[in-house]
Amino acid sequence: MTTDARLPLMTLQPAFNAGNAWVALLLDSEQPLDSTALAHVLKAFALAETLAEIPCVVTADPLSIDPALAADLPHDRLILRFPLAQGVDPACREALSALRKAGFGLMAAGMPGDDAALAPEISSLAVACPGKTAPESLVNWLRRLPGPHLALGTTDTVCPGFCKIHWLAGHTAGMTTPAVKGDPTARSLLLKLLSLVTRDAESAEIEALIKRDANLAYKLLKLVNSVAFMPGRHIESFSQALVLLGRRQLQRWLMLLLFARPPGCETASPLLPQAAMRANLLESIAKRKGMSRDDWDHAFMIGMFSLLDSLFGQPLADVLTPLHLSDEVTQALLDGHGPFGPCLHAVRTGEGAPTAALAAALGDIGLSHEDWGASLFEAARWAVMVSKEA
């Protein structure tokens, strides 16, 4: 069993395309992964399984990675990211060649000069995107290599792709502007429904409110009639649908719908996968801390609702007031206090690079690097699945 002493602290961030969809995961660590750590992540954290859904860029030391680890992995879906200095060092050529032949993708981090002797096995670059001021030498390299190229630390000033940047990195890339476009009336209806479910209103009252919105009613019936949810059954009434879903699943489904892409929108919902990942990650932490089933639900709700201020473009307290949530939930969201406040702080801190602040936050809630890593990948897989369905 790998222990914290051998397993570096890690974080898992998304990479977006120009349409706000998650197109890759970025596994960063306080020190580059070697073969032992990477093998553990592939097996114990089910990274190999994750690669079937989405590629992953891993910070690694190419000189300490066994090419055999690529056996049975989807070709080019696991991309090793390493410093540009190793990409131009002749002493690294043999190792890079072996890794490329085995099926790893190779990404050099840094801006090569015009005359850089970059190893031919490298197909991608990771750069701190300078936006529209990208130097010509960088643009030439981005056009010369097939990619996918990764822009790190992107802002809303990033250029619209003329330089061949394919992926934008980080939870904040292009998604933190207030009031994500959508129908405010439909979202207000969803908040009313959530309020009814939270206070355990009568099913007839919930059903009547659902029937007021044709799009919402359609999505409910589509959900319960999906093969994944209820194979072999066809549900035609809302009362049947509500019984099959149950209050707990209905509540979670409504929370996800708040962040879903509005009808007619061509780009993905940028907040949905992040809210889903926060929710699943907080729930996983609650489970690992031995909390009750009700606490799992509270943790999930805190993760989903922690982005409502960005969704509505309003102070979070104003959005939460009509929902009449429990004290534990509101304390965590508004003050960072209560049993869930430190957990939410750890999750937010973990949405960037692995830092001493994250290590301290995990220590405060008694979560090991091992449990944190396992929870990260579990949450990321679920967020990717949810974003594809929305």
Side-chain angles (χ1 to χ4, degrees):
M1 173 64 70
T2 302
T3 64
D4 278 6
R6 297 167 54 196
L7 188 68
L9 179 61
M10 295 180 289
T11 57
L12 201 58
Q13 304 174 54
F16 299 84
N17 63 13
N20 290 328
W22 280 23
V23 289
L25 297 174
L26 311 179
L27 176 58
D28 202 359
S29 59
E30 57 187 343
Q31 60 202 49
L33 298 188
D34 58 16
S35 277
T36 300
L38 181 57
H40 186 76
V41 171
L42 285 167
K43 185 175 181 180
F45 296 168
L47 173 55
E49 176 184 330
T50 304
L51 293 174
E53 299 295 329
I54 193 167
C56 187
V57 179
V58 177
T59 301
D61 177 8
L63 299 183
S64 63
I65 297 296
D66 183 356
L69 291 177
D72 301 322
L73 296 181
H75 196 77
D76 280 345
R77 301 280 281 187
L78 184 56
I79 302 171
L80 305 181
R81 184 177 64 171
F82 47 86
L84 177 67
Q86 290 182 299
V88 298
D89 187 350
C92 298
R93 289 292 175 86
E94 184 177 350
L96 294 178
S97 178
L99 291 168
R100 185 72 190 104
K101 289 178 181 177
F104 286 109
L106 300 180
M107 175 181 287
M111 292 193 182
D114 287 328
D115 58 349
L118 199 62
E121 292 80 11
I122 294 173
S123 59
S124 306
L125 293 177
V127 297
C129 183
K132 296 180 180 179
T133 60
E136 185 177 357
S137 60
L138 172 61
V139 174
N140 289 338
W141 274 109
L142 294 173
R143 290 174 172 171
R144 187 182 312 170
L145 301 176
H149 301 303
L150 173 66
L152 300 167
T154 49
T155 68
D156 56 6
T157 62
V158 66
C159 58
F162 73 91
C163 63
K164 305 301 181 183
I165 290 284
H166 304 90
W167 295 347
L168 312 177
H171 284 273
T172 59
M175 60 177 291
T176 55
T177 53
V180 177
K181 291 182 179 179
D183 184 354
T185 303
R187 287 189 174 132
S188 295
L189 176 63
L190 285 169
L191 284 179
K192 291 179 182 178
L193 278 168
L194 277 167
S195 180
L196 291 178
V197 175
T198 300
R199 62 182 176 85
D200 203 23
E202 294 292 331
S203 294
E205 189 176 0
I206 296 172
E207 183 179 345
L209 193 54
I210 290 175
K211 288 179 177 179
R212 286 173 50 184
D213 187 287
N215 183 60
L216 179 62
Y218 167 77
K219 287 184 176 180
L220 174 61
L221 290 180
K222 181 181 178 182
L223 171 70
V224 294
N225 281 312
S226 68
V227 175
F229 181 75
M230 190 60 63
R233 296 286 299 274
H234 185 70
I235 307 303
E236 296 181 347
S237 72
F238 297 115
S239 57
Q240 279 183 294
L242 294 178
V243 169
L244 283 173
L245 277 174
R247 294 300 175 94
R248 180 171 179 265
Q249 289 302 322
L250 176 62
Q251 186 181 60
R252 294 188 173 209
W253 177 74
L254 291 172
M255 284 188 277
L256 288 170
L257 274 187
L258 276 172
F259 294 93
R261 172 171 44 192
C265 182
E266 296 182 357
T267 59
S269 167
L271 291 174
L272 173 61
Q274 186 187 4
M277 184 162 178
R278 281 189 181 184
N280 191 284
L281 184 51
L282 276 164
E283 182 182 29
S284 178
I285 290 173
K287 291 178 180 179
R288 293 178 186 279
K289 289 175 61 67
M291 293 183 175
S292 68
R293 181 67 176 265
D294 286 343
D295 286 337
W296 300 356
D297 291 340
H298 287 155
F300 185 93
M301 181 180 293
I302 289 166
M304 291 298 303
F305 287 173
S306 64
L307 287 167
L308 286 184
D309 52 346
S310 294
L311 181 69
F312 285 90
Q314 300 176 19
L316 190 55
D318 293 348
V319 182
L320 295 179
T321 297
L323 296 180
H324 305 292
L325 303 174
S326 69
D327 290 342
E328 293 89 348
V329 173
T330 54
Q331 282 178 349
L333 288 168
L334 299 181
D335 305 317
H337 297 155
F340 300 102
C343 298
L344 178 58
H345 172 68
V347 168
R348 284 172 165 159
T349 306
E351 291 179 345
T355 61
L358 174 59
L362 295 178
D364 289 342
I365 62 175
L367 200 68
S368 68
H369 293 184
E370 178 80 19
D371 285 344
W372 168 252
S375 295
L376 273 178
F377 276 95
E378 176 186 323
R381 282 192 295 273
W382 193 73
V384 169
M385 180 191 70
V386 165
S387 64
K388 287 182 177 180
E389 295 296 326

